Amino acid sequence: MAFSVRASLEQFALPHPSGEGQLTISVASPAVPAPDAAVPVLTVVDGDMLFGLAAETARAVSSVAAFPAHYVVGIAYDADYAEFLKRRTADLTPPIGAEALAKLGGMGAAIGSAQGGGADAFLPFLTETLRPAIAERHPVTASGPQILYGHSLGGLFTAHALLTRPDSFDAFIVSSPSLWWNDFAILGELPGFKERLAALPRRPRVFVDVGAREQDLPASVPEGLGVTLEEAQAQIRNARMVDAAREFADALRGAGVTALHHIAFAHDDHVSAAPAALLHGMRFALGRDH
């Protein structure tokens, strides 16, 4: 059989955990022969933007870079961009307080921050609904390593999943995480995380990345964003993306995570860090350490 120039694609729908609407699930099978069992699965939130990138990366690296064959699963909304921004915020964030919400101003309105807070419902959907659905369709994944990748608010969600349910995945790729959400309230989970981690028979692998240019102040803002240049610069200062990612990785080490890699990609910003994180994060998650 000829080697394909594109990743495979299978799609089906699952009910949204809220009971309203559906989610589109995309699955890319390995492009090379996989073992008969225990094949890894990479679950990608923000599938509308990142599934294709993750699937093509998996196809390329598993064929030429000696990566283990693995499935890629994406969760998407099939909505226009403005609606997508709001729906992802609703699913990927913990609750936010009124004061922190007010600080977001126009950006908060654009991404639907007031409707956030669904992370604790979305995580069980991934582990209790989506995972069995994938295993039913692809039984070789039933006992395979489970890896979660999220970028930006998806990185916040991945960090939240790690801290609150460190047993939910075997590896977590926490890419450019929006730890600033709700005034860094997620860091309050660290003491409980240390106890949860200590109780596990096997601790997860954790990759934390950020673009080294993510604290650079912009000289302009895109039209339609709903914020002034001054507001955007203030939010970047407050977010402390580069410093916060480093401090978060240090805190995870202090809590007992032993298989951990942190990197600030030298030439990347918030957008360009995402593909770099997929490649290097999966290398680490699959045990191909740097």
Side-chain angles (χ1 to χ4, degrees), residues 81-82 85-86 89 105-113 224-226:
Y81 187 66
L85 290 178
K86 294 178 172 61
T89 299
M107 186 185 77
I111 66 174
S113 296
L225 189 60

Side-chain angles (χ1 to χ4, degrees), residues 3 107 109 117 174 179 187:
F3 182 68
M107 186 185 77
V174 184
L179 301 171
L187 302 181

Side-chain angles (χ1 to χ4, degrees), residues 261-287:
H261 185 79
H262 167 253
I263 185 170
F265 295 116
H267 303 292
D268 288 297
D269 57 23
H270 190 65
V271 174
S272 63
L278 275 166
L279 176 61
H280 296 286
M282 279 302 289
R283 175 183 291 159
F284 183 79
L286 293 170

Side-chain angles (χ1 to χ4, degrees), residues 34-39 139-140:
D36 294 333
V39 180
V140 295

Side-chain angles (χ1 to χ4, degrees), residues 7 20 50 62 104 106 145 152 257 282:
E20 298 182 7
L50 296 171
S62 62
L104 295 179
S152 194
V257 177
M282 279 302 289

Side-chain angles (χ1 to χ4, degrees), residues 246-259:
R246 181 187 65 252
E247 292 163 5
F248 183 62
D250 289 343
L252 294 177
R253 287 192 189 93
V257 177
T258 52

Side-chain angles (χ1 to χ4, degrees), residues 139-289:
V140 295
T141 68
S143 59
Q146 299 289 329
I147 303 159
L148 179 62
Y149 167 85
H151 178 79
S152 194
L153 284 183
L156 171 71
F157 174 78
T158 304
H160 178 78
L162 169 64
L163 294 180
T164 60
R165 294 249 334 253
D167 60 336
S168 58
F169 288 83
D170 298 288
F172 298 81
I173 303 173
V174 184
S175 180
S176 295
S178 299
L179 301 171
W180 51 262
W181 180 263
N182 197 26
D183 291 334
F184 293 89
I186 191 172
L187 302 181
E189 298 285 354
L190 283 165
F193 168 69
K194 184 175 183 178
E195 296 179 4
R196 297 180 192 106
L197 191 67
L200 295 182
R202 182 178 179 182
R203 299 181 183 185
R205 299 177 67 82
V206 182
F207 185 93
V208 180
D209 75 89
V210 70
R213 296 177 56 192
E214 293 196 41
Q215 283 180 200
D216 293 358
L217 297 181
S220 63
V221 294
E223 291 185 14
L225 189 60
V227 297
T228 66
L229 176 60
E230 292 73 19
E231 288 172 334
Q233 291 177 339
Q235 288 166 358
I236 287 174
R237 290 190 190 95
N238 293 335
R240 303 178 57 254
M241 293 293 292
V242 179
D243 295 338
R246 181 187 65 252
E247 292 163 5
F248 183 62
D250 289 343
L252 294 177
R253 287 192 189 93
V257 177
T258 52
L260 185 146
H261 185 79
H262 167 253
I263 185 170
F265 295 116
H267 303 292
D268 288 297
D269 57 23
H270 190 65
V271 174
S272 63
L278 275 166
L279 176 61
H280 296 286
M282 279 302 289
R283 175 183 291 159
F284 183 79
L286 293 170
R288 270 54 178 174
D289 296 13

